[in-house]
Amino acid sequence: MNIWKSQSTPLKIRILKSCIFPVATYGCETWTLTKKDVEKIDAFEMKCYRKILGIPWTARRPNQSILQELGMKEIQLLKNIKQLKLKYFGHVVRHNNLEKLCLEGAVEGRRGRGRPRRRWTQDISDWLGFSVREASILAQDRDGFRSVVWEATSYKDPP
């Protein structure tokens, strides 16, 4: 029996979340996300949902109507990536190891010409609303940092 041609949408969603999304986001803790990357991640997730519902890309339906049909409030993939990255940040700053040294280290000399590339830590400070130094101090308290991560990635109703 072909699962993707069956009528069971909840089963397809469970397979998508348990098999396809983890493969697509493998190693996402180390990604530096730009606006273009965020748009591509959101587009991939919506493409998967449209495929499950059998809605062609030519059908002019807004994403919110598709999410409502699936019983979801928001897209989940980017939220999961943010949670994984923030959890990894907390893990790194709580331990004294090479990763922490690389994260906090500075490169000697002058930087090259042009616009500076986006840094991994800029995502952390943007999502949490703190500087990286404040976030690393906050991460020493595991339970407190866990609640801050949950707050930063939780769904907020639009005004």
Side-chain angles (χ1 to χ4, degrees):
M1 179 178 142
N2 190 345
I3 296 172
W4 298 113
K5 292 185 180 181
S6 71
Q7 298 296 318
S8 177
T9 303
L11 176 64
K12 292 178 191 178
I13 295 291
R14 284 178 38 201
I15 291 173
L16 178 74
K17 288 183 177 180
S18 64
C19 295
I20 295 168
F21 285 171
V23 171
T25 61
Y26 179 77
C28 67
E29 295 90 353
T30 61
W31 296 351
T32 301
L33 296 175
T34 61
K35 286 183 182 179
K36 193 172 186 178
D37 294 332
V38 170
E39 290 171 0
K40 286 182 179 182
I41 290 167
D42 291 344
F44 169 72
E45 183 175 6
M46 289 310 300
K47 183 178 180 179
C48 291
Y49 293 149
R50 286 175 187 267
K51 191 79 167 170
I52 285 173
L53 293 173
I55 300 170
W57 65 272
T58 55
R60 298 185 56 84
R61 285 193 46 196
N63 291 342
Q64 286 301 323
S65 71
I66 292 170
L67 291 174
Q68 284 176 349
E69 189 172 335
L70 292 171
M72 298 179 177
K73 289 184 178 180
E74 65 177 354
I75 52 179
Q76 299 290 317
L77 193 56
L78 186 63
K79 177 182 169 183
N80 291 344
I81 290 171
K82 286 180 181 182
Q83 283 179 342
L84 290 170
K85 190 168 178 176
L86 290 170
K87 287 178 183 178
Y88 182 67
F89 171 77
H91 172 75
V92 167
V93 298
R94 276 192 296 274
H95 301 288
N96 288 326
N97 54 15
L98 181 62
E99 294 165 336
K100 184 176 181 179
L101 185 65
C102 291
L103 179 68
E104 295 175 347
V107 179
E108 296 289 326
R110 297 178 55 182
R111 69 171 187 83
R113 290 175 37 185
R115 181 180 182 176
R117 295 179 67 179
R118 184 165 174 85
R119 295 180 176 266
W120 185 84
T121 54
Q122 286 176 310
D123 287 338
I124 304 299
S125 59
D126 289 349
W127 295 336
L128 293 178
F130 306 124
S131 69
V132 176
R133 177 79 53 206
E134 293 169 339
S136 61
I137 292 169
L138 184 64
Q140 299 304 321
D141 173 27
R142 186 180 300 226
D143 293 328
F145 189 69
R146 193 175 290 144
S147 64
V148 169
V149 167
W150 185 84
E151 180 66 31
T153 57
S154 65
Y155 177 74
K156 296 166 186 73
D157 286 321

